[in-house]
Amino acid sequence: MYVATKFPKNSSRSAWVEMLPPRKPGLSLNGAVIADVAIIGAGFAGLSAARRLSQLDPTLRVAVLEAGVVGEGATGRNSGFIIDLPHEVSSEDFGDTSTERARRDITLYRTAISLATDMAKEYGWGREIIDPCGRFSVAISQKGDSHIVNYARQLQGLGESHQLLDAKGIYDVTGSRIYTSGLYMPGTVMVQPAAYIRAVADSLRSPVTLYENSPVQSFEKQSGNWLLKTANGSVTAKRVILANNGHAQSFGLFRGKMLHVFTYASMTESFDPNRLSGKRDWAATPALPMGTTVRRVSGVDGDRILIRSRYSYHAGLEINEGHVRSAGRVHDSKFADRFPDLAGVKMQYRWGGPMALTWNSVPIFGEIEQGLFAACACNGLGASKSTAAGIAAAEAALGVKSQLVEIFSNYDSPKNLPPQPFLSIGAKADLKLREWRAGRE
């Protein structure tokens, strides 16, 4: 029997959730249910798995169990980048191995994008939910400029569309004079993550059923099936997909395999769009790893700027308001540096969100026991990687042989992490070192 020792706990609410109308309470599990497949978690991975299962077999009875309210967990704390290209094609060289790895990653990411864009077309979602606007990589230093030029060269080698921008070119986009160069990549799709995942959830049709506010307390194998228990009900299913990322460890699974890191974001109050030149909707990732992600979001009441930076390690899968406030002070400084024309504009929302990493940056995927499948350890880029993992887990659960399943199945096994307290000491030191290397970026 796998018994949960803790459940997801959020210390703050993200801007994405706060800017939406309150969600109408969904169905909670009450009583005994029989399903063909049970999915634990209704984020990017879980709902993508449900979507794919219904595509493969519309008669499948699927029960999706979400501990809280859809959109209020880790997915709704994402920055909304469903990227199509890896941040790094190669860290050192551009040999055959790195090219093959890059093409593998691109296949994963574009499969995720296809699921999102196909749903947008099917259900008529607008740009307030999903926007195929592409993304920019931006630099504010000579080191960042060099990285962008090298990365553009690698993209050219892959035959991928991109556009290099000088300081004036990126200023015309962002309205910020701090940026010294930029690189535009048109394939990224941006989402309002809370609105997107709500829309995916609300698109599910019988015999797929979503149960919100229904945390799984335990699950065990009984007579060839899996029995999942919640406070007020149970699900009996032949197959189970674990789509709860780091919280799979709360059931005692994957001990010593996952590193729990939180990243933080702040979003401004609305401001008059005329105060800042440039485009009204754009999204930029930093040229250097661990730098600052920035996104401008337009709205009927004005525009907002999102700043995301800072990372912290928390073995207990929880942060508090103090961690959020500490990161917020860094965000305020980053915002002031980049947008002096917006002096006086305050941050209205601040939040943090979890990532589950492995030592060797591989997912935890596949059939770990008969009928028990994992789609965990996103290693960052959750919107892209978790979506792809959910699709692949659904295919694997039904015995479908696909390119996506093959890619996930061919990853190395996750390496064991060092024991405590060495893990905590090393993880915290490594994060600080990486942030220091990113500098002003």
Side-chain angles (χ1 to χ4, degrees):
M1 178 182 288
Y2 298 99
V3 180
T5 56
K6 64 171 55 184
F7 301 101
K9 181 180 178 182
N10 301 311
S11 61
S12 56
R13 290 170 65 85
S14 81
W16 305 118
V17 174
E18 291 296 304
M19 292 190 299
L20 293 175
R23 180 166 172 78
K24 182 179 178 181
L27 182 69
S28 294
L29 182 62
N30 195 350
V33 171
I34 296 176
D36 297 301
V37 184
I39 300 172
I40 302 178
F44 287 121
L47 293 185
S48 299
R51 164 79 174 181
R52 186 61 179 138
L53 287 169
S54 66
Q55 287 178 327
L56 292 168
D57 185 350
T59 69
L60 276 178
R61 296 165 298 175
V62 180
V64 185
L65 298 160
E66 167 58 34
V69 175
V70 165
E72 295 187 5
T75 297
R77 295 162 183 275
N78 190 279
S79 293
F81 290 72
I82 311 183
I83 71 166
D84 69 324
L85 298 172
H87 286 318
E88 286 280 356
V89 175
S90 169
S91 57
E92 297 294 339
D93 59 9
F94 191 53
D96 293 338
T97 301
S98 61
T99 302
E100 181 181 342
R101 184 171 61 248
R103 294 204 181 281
R104 174 202 68 193
D105 291 345
I106 291 169
T107 297
L108 297 184
Y109 303 158
R110 288 185 174 156
T111 301
I113 288 173
S114 292
L115 179 137
T117 53
D118 287 350
M119 293 190 77
K121 291 177 184 176
E122 182 177 348
Y123 297 107
W125 299 341
R127 288 179 177 262
E128 72 281 2
I129 294 178
I130 180 169
D131 185 0
C133 61
R135 73 174 168 101
F136 296 86
S137 181
V138 290
I140 64 173
S141 66
Q142 188 174 23
K143 185 177 180 181
D145 293 337
S146 296
H147 185 279
I148 280 179
V149 170
N150 290 335
Y151 184 47
R153 187 179 302 119
Q154 293 162 4
L155 293 181
Q156 184 174 358
L158 287 170
E160 294 293 340
S161 178
H162 63 281
Q163 179 185 359
L164 278 168
L165 301 172
D166 59 14
K168 182 183 182 305
I170 197 64
Y171 168 78
D172 290 341
V173 172
T174 65
S176 174
R177 298 192 182 279
I178 197 173
Y179 296 124
T180 50
S181 65
L183 177 68
Y184 176 63
M185 293 153 284
T188 289
V189 169
M190 298 302 301
V191 296
Q192 202 286 32
Y196 170 80
I197 209 66
R198 281 189 187 184
V200 176
D202 293 342
S203 73
L204 300 176
R205 297 291 180 265
S206 180
V208 179
T209 306
L210 167 66
Y211 300 98
E212 298 181 66
N213 291 311
S214 302
V216 176
Q217 297 181 337
S218 67
F219 59 94
E220 62 180 314
K221 200 71 175 287
Q222 284 192 355
S223 304
N225 291 314
W226 289 95
L227 177 65
L228 298 81
K229 293 183 178 179
T230 67
N232 299 308
S234 67
V235 177
T236 300
K238 185 176 180 180
R239 287 155 288 193
V240 175
I241 295 176
L242 295 168
N244 51 349
N245 211 19
H247 268 283
Q249 204 162 54
S250 299
F251 290 97
L253 290 158
F254 318 130
R255 291 187 183 277
K257 301 291 187 183
M258 285 194 282
L259 194 70
H260 305 292
V261 172
F262 281 73
T263 186
Y264 301 87
S266 296
M267 186 177 282
T268 68
E269 60 191 2
S270 296
F271 60 85
D272 182 346
N274 293 319
R275 290 193 60 181
L276 184 65
S277 63
K279 296 183 178 181
R280 292 191 63 193
D281 285 283
W282 53 268
T285 51
L288 300 181
M290 305 291 283
T292 304
T293 293
V294 182
R295 183 175 173 184
R296 183 173 177 177
V297 183
S298 66
V300 294
D301 58 345
D303 291 3
R304 298 174 185 267
I305 297 288
L306 175 142
I307 301 286
R308 191 191 73 184
S309 68
R310 294 286 296 157
Y311 297 82
S312 61
Y313 166 73
H314 298 274
L317 281 164
E318 291 180 12
I319 57 173
N320 57 43
E321 287 296 339
H323 297 116
V324 176
R325 286 195 299 270
S326 177
R329 289 191 287 271
V330 176
H331 297 164
D332 291 345
S333 175
K334 302 279 190 182
F335 175 70
D337 277 351
R338 286 158 176 74
F339 303 104
D341 290 345
L342 297 179
V345 174
K346 305 296 184 185
M347 292 294 176
Q348 185 173 357
Y349 305 107
R350 303 187 192 276
W351 68 96
M355 299 185 292
L357 316 178
T358 57
W359 188 258
N360 48 334
S361 300
V362 298
I364 295 176
F365 175 84
E367 191 170 16
I368 58 175
E369 284 189 41
Q370 186 176 8
L372 180 61
F373 297 82
C376 300
C378 64
N379 290 285
L381 304 181
S384 302
K385 291 183 177 179
S386 293
T387 296
I391 296 169
E395 294 173 341
L398 296 188
V400 174
K401 295 181 179 180
S402 69
Q403 183 182 17
L404 206 61
V405 171
E406 182 180 1
I407 290 173
F408 273 99
S409 299
N410 286 336
Y411 278 103
D412 293 336
S413 298
K415 293 181 179 179
N416 290 324
L417 296 168
Q420 296 288 8
F422 304 106
L423 174 58
S424 290
I425 295 170
K428 292 176 182 179
D430 183 64
L431 289 173
K432 285 188 177 295
L433 176 61
R434 289 172 181 265
E435 288 187 337
W436 176 79
R437 285 176 175 171
R440 293 179 67 217
E441 296 281 353

